[in-house]
């Protein structure tokens, strides 16, 4: 069986071949919108094809569920909880940033066994950072054990929801800031202590499974607004990722999402 390092090497190779050469070099015909504001590029499509092909070669019995494949066939997303062995693939997380020339984008993969996330990878090509997690074994950043940098402050959160920027929860929270518009950047911010929680409205497994495993491996919590732990079976709306279960509970109480 291919190792954790083998999968990371694959992600780096694919990024070097088809993502990085397009960074700040996309032509008009190489960018589309699947829905208003939801971008897809030739880099997304080519990277997903390569990652899917090689993961299938490495793990012949596994199902590979990619973001772009699910846009064509939405039923794939809902098959994950009942699959014996599967991988999710987000070929370019933060495509909007990628299109705008921002380095804040990532390649993300999660491995599931019987619907439970067992390993996950986040590779940030322009930042050169690799986050890898294995259930029960913690998180590594560039091959070194990652320890969260705790900050003495009111819980600081990030979200893409404009109406919540500056929200302080009656003084129990620090003013909410804008997210990076990429789970592959946001979750590492949480892992390293740059923020204390994240709130998302849209929930897809390729976006959240990789970071969710990492957060829980560091003692945090990822839950929906009903207080139920996040799994591949949850498709939203809404999820809270927090550095501690206590912060998750506070945000759930104050945010008042449905």
């Amino acid at each position: 069986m291919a190792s954790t390092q083998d999968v990371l090497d694959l992600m780096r190779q694919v990024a070097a071949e088809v993502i990085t050469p397009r960074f700040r070099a996309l032509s008009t015909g190489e960018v589309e919108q699947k829905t208003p504001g939801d971008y897809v590029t030739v880099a997304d499509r080519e990277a997903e094809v390569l990652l899917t092909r090689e993961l299938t070669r490495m793990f012949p019995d596994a199902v590979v569920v990619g973001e772009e494949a699910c846009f064509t066939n939405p039923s794939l997303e809902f098959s994950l909880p009942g699959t014996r062995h599967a991988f999710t693939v987000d070929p370019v997380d933060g495509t909007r940033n990628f299109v705008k020339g921002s380095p804040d984008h990532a390649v993300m993969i999660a491995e599931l066994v019987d619907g439970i996330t067992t390993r996950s990878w986040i590779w940030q090509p322009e930042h050169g950072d690799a986050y890898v997690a294995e259930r029960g074994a913690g998180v590594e950043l560039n091959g070194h054990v990652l320890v969260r940098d705790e900050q003495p402050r009111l819980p600081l959160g990030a979200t893409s929801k404009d109406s919540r920027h500056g929200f302080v929860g009656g003084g129990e929270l620090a003013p909410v800031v804008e997210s990076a518009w990429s789970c592959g950047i946001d979750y590492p911010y949480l892992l390293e202590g740059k923020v204390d929680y994240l709130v998302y409205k849209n929930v897809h497994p390729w976006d959240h499974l990789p970071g969710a495993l990492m957060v829980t491996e560091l003692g945090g919590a990822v839950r929906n607004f009903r207080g139920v732990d996040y799994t591949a079976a949850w498709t939203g709306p809404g999820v809270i990722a927090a550095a501690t279960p206590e912060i998750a509970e506070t945000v759930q109480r104050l945010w008042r999402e449905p």
Side-chain angles (χ1 to χ4, degrees), residues 60-73:
D61 297 328
V63 174
V64 180
V65 176
E67 177 181 5
E68 305 313 325
C70 285
F71 180 73
T72 303
N73 182 6

Side-chain angles (χ1 to χ4, degrees), residues 68-229:
E68 305 313 325
C70 285
F71 180 73
T72 303
N73 182 6
S75 65
L76 286 173
E77 178 177 353
F78 305 105
S79 70
L80 281 170
T83 304
R84 172 71 183 87
H85 188 196
F87 288 86
T88 62
V89 171
D90 194 337
V92 182
D93 182 73
T95 302
R96 163 180 156 159
N97 294 344
F98 182 72
V99 168
K100 293 184 176 182
S102 167
D104 289 344
H105 55 270
V107 184
M108 302 198 299
I109 292 177
E111 181 181 28
L112 297 88
V113 176
D114 293 330
I116 303 298
T117 311
T118 56
R119 295 189 291 180
S120 67
W121 300 258
I122 297 175
W123 169 238
Q124 300 172 344
E126 294 302 318
H127 297 300
D129 286 329
Y131 300 80
V132 178
E134 187 167 356
R135 182 169 291 275
V139 183
E140 291 188 353
L141 167 57
N142 298 329
H144 301 284
V145 174
L146 179 61
V147 178
R148 191 175 190 277
D149 183 16
E150 301 291 345
Q151 298 293 330
R153 64 188 175 204
L154 291 174
L156 173 63
T159 183
S160 62
K161 194 169 184 178
D162 292 347
S163 63
R164 290 292 175 146
H165 295 162
F167 177 71
V168 296
E172 294 186 54
L173 304 172
V176 173
V177 299
E178 185 175 16
S179 73
W181 290 87
S182 167
C183 291
I185 303 295
D186 286 336
Y187 274 100
Y189 281 172
L190 177 56
L191 298 173
E192 295 183 55
K194 295 177 181 177
V195 298
D196 303 307
Y197 68 92
L198 305 164
V199 179
Y200 297 96
K201 178 180 179 181
N202 297 321
V203 185
H204 296 291
W206 48 83
D207 286 324
H208 295 283
L209 290 178
L213 175 61
M214 296 178 185
V215 169
T216 56
E217 281 296 304
L218 292 187
V222 184
R223 300 173 176 171
N224 64 30
F225 278 94
R226 300 172 189 168
V228 179
D229 288 344

